[in-house]
């Protein structure tokens, strides 16, 4: 029974068939992971990698101050985030066209693999200072773009996980409705979701910072294993379907 429950839970959370509760649970988990990656990445290379507004603003300041090498680092982060979101969308569309179970699980498995590589190899390349900073910023930004695109697509743009500016804005809107009796009725379920996303991002950030402080790069390994555990079952379902089709030929 526990094994069956775990398998069904993975299918429900990352499988092709979506429900609002599953979207919200997955969103909170991914917000935690994004907060951890963002905070741990900052301790590693002194750059945040999930918030493109801040990166673009920093690029403008650095350009005005003549800090051209930092502008290039910011630009590489922006392009990497964009490429991650693009790849995630292509994988979702590819899977959707073939009616695969892993429509949303595959991008998360790719994210898990990249996080695992960072956790296992980060300390070995950290000695190459110039290359290391740029490569780390690009990798983590790519991961964040990948993740943000997949949760955006599966939730029909209801949930974002890699930044909380929009989340805090929406919380303010719902609180305004709550405090103003003449306004439209607040969506209390949405307000709870938004509050949980913000909390999970914050708790993830604290966990990621403490993990990197005490464990170093290997602190991302548990995050990668969690994502693998969540995403592997729909992918295994696709593999079994493929093998069944081959056996019938």
């Amino acid at each position: 029974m526990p094994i069956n429950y775990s398998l069904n839970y993975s299918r429900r959370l990352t499988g092709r068939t979506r429900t609002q509760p599953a979207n919200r649970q997955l969103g909170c988990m991914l917000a935690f992971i994004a907060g951890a990656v963002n905070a741990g990445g900052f301790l590693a290379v002194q750059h945040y990698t999930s918030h493109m507004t801040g990166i673009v603003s920093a690029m403008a300041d650095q350009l005005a101050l003549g800090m051209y090498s930092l502008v290039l680092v910011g630009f590489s982060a922006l392009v990497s985030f964009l490429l991650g979101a693009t790849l995630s969308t292509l994988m979702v569309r590819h899977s959707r066209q073939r009616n695969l179970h892993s429509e949303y699980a595959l991008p998360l498995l790719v994210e898990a693999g990249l996080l695992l590589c960072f956790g296992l190899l980060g300390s070995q390349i950290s000695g190459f200072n110039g290359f290391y900073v740029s490569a780390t910023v690009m990798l983590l930004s790519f991961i964040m773009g990948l993740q943000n695109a997949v949760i955006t697509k599966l939730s029909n743009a209801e949930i974002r996980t890699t930044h909380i500016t929009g989340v805090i804005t929406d919380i303010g809107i719902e609180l305004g409705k709550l405090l103003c009796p003449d306004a439209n009725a607040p969506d209390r379920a949405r307000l709870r979701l938004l509050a949980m996303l913000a909390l999970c991002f914050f708790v993830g950030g604290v966990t990621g910072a403490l993990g990197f402080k005490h464990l170093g790069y290997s602190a991302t390994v548990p995050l990668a294993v969690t994502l693998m555990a969540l995403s592997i079952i729909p992918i295994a379902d696709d593999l079994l379907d493929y093998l069944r089709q081959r056996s019938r030929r």
Side-chain angles (χ1 to χ4, degrees):
M1 177 68 86
I3 293 177
N4 288 335
Y5 176 81
S6 300
L7 296 179
N8 290 330
Y9 183 72
S10 175
R11 289 189 184 100
R12 184 168 64 84
L13 226 58
T14 62
R16 179 179 57 204
T17 303
R18 307 306 310 165
T19 63
Q20 271 203 342
N23 289 349
R24 292 175 177 183
Q25 287 180 44
L26 182 62
C28 288
M29 290 182 180
L30 294 182
F32 176 91
I33 289 172
V37 170
N38 202 39
F42 181 80
L43 290 184
V45 292
Q46 286 71 57
H47 285 275
Y48 289 117
T49 54
S50 71
H51 186 47
M52 293 300 105
T53 303
I55 287 175
V56 172
S57 296
M59 286 170 59
D61 291 340
Q62 292 154 0
L63 185 63
L65 296 173
M67 303 166 68
Y68 302 119
S69 62
L70 292 179
V71 174
L72 288 176
V73 173
F75 182 72
S76 68
L78 183 66
V79 172
S80 297
F81 190 97
L82 176 65
L83 291 176
T86 302
L87 177 62
S88 182
T89 302
L90 291 174
M91 284 191 288
V92 169
R93 286 179 61 85
H94 173 84
S95 299
R96 188 172 294 171
Q97 289 168 355
R98 286 156 180 78
N99 203 32
L100 299 179
H101 298 285
S102 57
E103 181 175 329
Y104 304 113
L106 186 57
L108 295 179
L109 186 65
V110 172
E111 177 183 350
L114 293 174
L115 278 175
L116 188 63
C117 289
F118 177 72
L120 296 177
L121 301 177
S123 60
Q124 299 180 27
I125 64 172
S126 59
F128 302 96
N129 291 329
F131 167 78
Y132 167 71
V133 171
S134 297
T136 299
V137 169
M138 291 174 67
L139 174 63
L140 297 183
S141 296
F142 182 89
I143 289 171
M144 291 294 94
L146 191 79
Q147 175 179 304
N148 205 42
V150 72
I151 192 67
T152 299
K153 290 191 72 64
L154 69 83
S155 69
N156 293 318
E158 181 190 13
I159 299 173
R160 299 288 203 282
T161 60
T162 61
H163 54 278
I164 60 169
T165 303
V167 171
I168 299 300
T169 301
D170 289 344
I171 289 174
I173 291 171
E174 296 301 331
L175 287 176
K177 292 178 183 178
L178 189 66
L179 297 173
C180 182
D182 297 330
N184 295 328
D187 187 339
R188 295 176 186 273
R190 178 164 172 75
L191 182 58
R192 287 193 294 271
L193 169 64
L194 294 167
M196 282 301 301
L197 289 172
L199 178 62
C200 288
F201 189 93
F202 175 75
V203 173
V206 174
T207 304
L210 290 174
F212 188 85
K213 178 181 177 181
H214 295 290
L215 301 175
Y217 299 92
S218 60
T220 62
V221 173
L223 304 178
V225 171
T226 299
L227 281 173
M228 286 181 180
L230 290 176
S231 60
I232 196 66
I233 299 305
I235 294 170
D237 288 339
D238 284 333
L239 180 58
L240 288 173
D241 286 347
Y242 173 76
L243 292 176
R244 289 191 194 103
Q245 291 172 7
R246 286 288 301 271
S247 67
R248 295 190 190 114
R249 293 175 185 174

